[in-house]
Amino acid sequence: MARGVGRERVRELLGLAVWEVELAVETGLLRRLPDRTFDPVSVNAAQADAERFRRMLAAEHRCNVSQAAARLGVSAERFKQIAAGVAPVAVEEVRKYGRTLVVRYYRAADVDALADLAHADAELRAAARAYSRSEAARKAATTRRLNLARAKTARAEVEAAKPAPDGDPVQVLVWTAALMEAAGIWPGPVKRLRLIADPLVPPLVATLREARLPRADLEAMLTALLTRATELIGLLVPPAAAERELGVPLDLTPTDLPRFGDHLFSHLLRELLSAPPLWLSQARADQELRQAAHAETHRAAAEASRRRQAEQAVVEAADRAASRLSNATVAELFGLPAEVTRLLRPKSGRWSAEHVEQLLRNTPPWLRTESAARTEADRRRRAADDRTARLAARRLSWRQRWAEVLGVPLEQVPQAIGRPTSRAIEAVRRESPAWARRPSSS
């Protein structure tokens, strides 16, 4: 058996790099023996026709997406689309930039086989771009023609509709506001128009912009109306004042009444007030009827509310009365004299039905016999007397403490004085009331 050829000898004979030797083994261009040496027959065959071997090895080179795209002269994204049906010869995952990237490798021969397809794709895309540009140019030309026609029509409309300075007041103000908006300038005397919304202004602004008039023409038209518009602005009456004068909301006025936005003209308002038309009289009458109906509805609602409150108060009073029992009734329930029962009332002074029901369910010993009840009544009376005495003694000790701390006579300290805490003493010393002042020695 012939002895195998070592890797370094193969590199020397064929002029290959290490990775090229390994690639030749992977693709079957060279055969490796079990002892990892190379079969002399395959090495001799490669050496005999080195050019053919080089071409075959070059066809087996591995190209990632970026290298394959550069080989075809296209972008990486375009290569992915072109090579959608080509299976990669190897796929590996690479950890990079903190994430795992999937790298696909393609045979150089498979990539080169896509050259015609890439060229055809490039030509198709170039043709599509050229067609798109021609279509865009055609559409742009059509749009320009339409815009010119619209501008011509709009200019004719503007020329025919623009008012004279002494024309209709509403039109003068509408055109002044629209010209200011279209020209982007707001002269001080008529700047107030910007705060008043009129439904006729936006359509006129659209027409002026469609006419594509030069800014100089817009300014000239605005200047011609400026003096008259300034006078008319002074005649505008705010809606609140107009409603006050007319006595009706502006919503009830006729829609054809001359106005700018929701502002009426003062001379028109004077005419309406001096000789009220039929619609104004009718609107005032309707307004008064509505106000009267609203007032009556409010009064009826208030009266109903008061009535419900009174009924609720009566019901609550009846419930409270029904929930209380008299001393005689309680005495009859427990078989005791009424005078004894009166002495045994709760601290609230009333026998509630719930409390009596609880006593009947769990009767205490002092309610079982008359003697026990009288003994309990005597105990409560003594306890009340002792409580009164203790309270009097406590208040006397408080007064003595106040007199001692402030150095005043005991009789000078008020009977209803509170406990002499440190905070209370500081407050009295700070405010120094009349009773806390020491009597003069003179």
Side-chain angles (χ1 to χ4, degrees):
M1 180 177 179
R3 184 178 179 183
V5 183
R7 188 180 65 179
E8 293 303 319
R9 181 58 179 166
V10 172
R11 291 183 58 198
E12 181 182 348
L13 293 173
L14 300 178
L16 302 177
V18 174
W19 66 270
E20 289 178 315
V21 175
E22 297 298 327
L23 180 61
V25 173
E26 290 178 15
T27 56
L29 296 179
L30 292 177
R31 192 164 66 89
R32 178 175 278 163
L33 300 176
D35 61 354
R36 298 198 57 81
T37 60
F38 295 87
D39 180 21
V41 176
S42 62
V43 175
N44 292 333
Q47 186 179 13
D49 194 351
E51 184 176 353
R52 178 176 174 274
F53 176 80
R54 282 285 183 181
R55 285 197 308 270
M56 295 176 64
L57 183 61
E60 299 296 335
H61 281 187
R62 304 291 190 254
C63 301
N64 59 26
V65 173
S66 299
Q67 293 168 342
R71 195 179 184 98
L72 294 178
V74 297
S75 66
E77 293 300 323
R78 179 58 58 182
F79 173 77
K80 290 178 182 178
Q81 296 176 7
I82 295 173
V86 179
V89 295
V91 178
E92 66 179 16
E93 293 184 352
V94 178
R95 186 71 180 173
K96 196 172 184 181
Y97 309 124
R99 54 181 179 165
T100 302
L101 304 178
V102 178
V103 182
R104 292 175 175 82
Y105 295 95
Y106 298 86
R107 290 178 67 244
D110 294 341
V111 173
D112 293 339
L114 298 174
D116 293 340
L117 184 59
H119 181 69
D121 179 73
E123 290 184 350
L124 285 175
R125 286 187 291 111
R129 286 195 299 269
Y131 177 76
S132 177
R133 283 195 296 268
S134 65
E135 281 295 300
R138 184 183 63 79
K139 291 180 180 178
T142 304
T143 302
R144 281 194 298 271
R145 286 195 299 271
L146 291 176
N147 288 341
L148 289 174
R150 291 195 188 107
K152 185 177 180 180
T153 304
R155 288 180 182 180
E157 292 178 2
V158 168
E159 190 63 29
K162 68 178 181 181
D166 57 348
D168 180 57
V170 175
Q171 287 298 314
V172 171
L173 291 179
V174 168
W175 275 77
T176 302
L179 287 169
M180 288 190 295
E181 182 70 28
I185 56 175
W186 300 91
V190 292
K191 195 172 184 179
R192 179 185 167 196
L193 295 179
R194 195 175 189 180
L195 305 177
I196 304 174
D198 190 282
L200 298 178
V201 173
L204 182 55
V205 172
T207 302
L208 290 171
R209 287 174 176 166
E210 195 173 69
R212 299 188 176 187
L213 294 170
R215 182 186 176 93
D217 293 354
L218 295 175
E219 292 181 359
M221 295 170 64
L222 178 59
T223 302
L225 300 176
L226 195 57
T227 303
R228 176 63 173 157
T230 304
E231 297 174 359
L232 292 175
I233 286 178
L235 301 178
L236 293 178
V237 180
E243 290 180 353
R244 231 177 9 253
E245 295 289 336
L246 293 175
V248 296
L250 289 182
D251 295 341
L252 301 181
T253 59
T255 56
D256 58 350
L257 197 66
R259 71 183 77 188
F260 180 73
D262 52 0
H263 288 57
L264 298 180
F265 293 98
S266 58
H267 62 276
L268 175 63
L269 189 60
R270 286 194 300 270
E271 293 176 5
L272 293 175
L273 294 176
S274 61
L278 179 61
W279 65 262
L280 181 56
S281 302
Q282 185 64 40
R284 285 176 174 174
D286 294 343
Q287 180 70 4
E288 290 179 0
L289 286 176
R290 278 191 295 271
Q291 291 176 351
H294 179 71
E296 178 61 23
T297 302
H298 182 71
R299 187 200 63 75
E303 180 63 26
S305 176
R306 285 194 296 270
R307 188 165 55 251
R308 286 194 299 271
Q309 291 176 359
E311 293 173 355
Q312 184 66 23
V314 171
V315 170
E316 291 176 357
D319 290 342
R320 287 194 299 270
S323 65
R324 298 173 186 171
L325 301 178
S326 64
N327 294 324
T329 302
V330 175
E332 184 177 354
L333 289 174
F334 290 98
L336 300 174
E339 67 274 8
V340 176
T341 308
R342 182 178 58 79
L343 297 175
L344 296 176
R345 287 178 302 182
K347 291 183 179 179
S348 62
R350 298 185 298 272
W351 292 99
S352 66
E354 294 81 1
H355 182 58
V356 173
E357 182 182 358
Q358 183 178 1
L359 292 177
L360 287 172
R361 190 164 47 248
N362 300 309
T363 305
W366 47 270
L367 278 177
R368 293 174 183 170
T369 62
E370 180 180 349
S371 60
R374 290 186 180 279
T375 302
E376 175 65 16
D378 292 339
R379 187 192 68 77
R380 293 188 181 184
R381 178 174 44 77
R382 290 193 302 270
D385 293 342
D386 294 344
R387 187 163 48 252
T388 303
R390 288 196 303 273
L391 179 58
R394 186 184 307 117
R395 289 196 174 278
L396 177 60
S397 66
W398 289 353
R399 292 176 63 218
Q400 291 173 345
R401 177 60 179 164
W402 278 110
E404 178 185 350
V405 170
L406 299 177
V408 296
L410 179 61
E411 61 274 8
Q412 188 173 320
V413 180
Q415 292 289 338
I417 192 68
R419 177 178 294 180
T421 62
S422 57
R423 182 176 294 181
I425 293 172
E426 291 178 3
V428 168
R429 284 175 173 171
R430 185 170 55 253
E431 298 174 4
S432 185
W435 65 267
R437 299 171 190 161
R438 295 181 183 182
S440 58
S441 57
S442 57

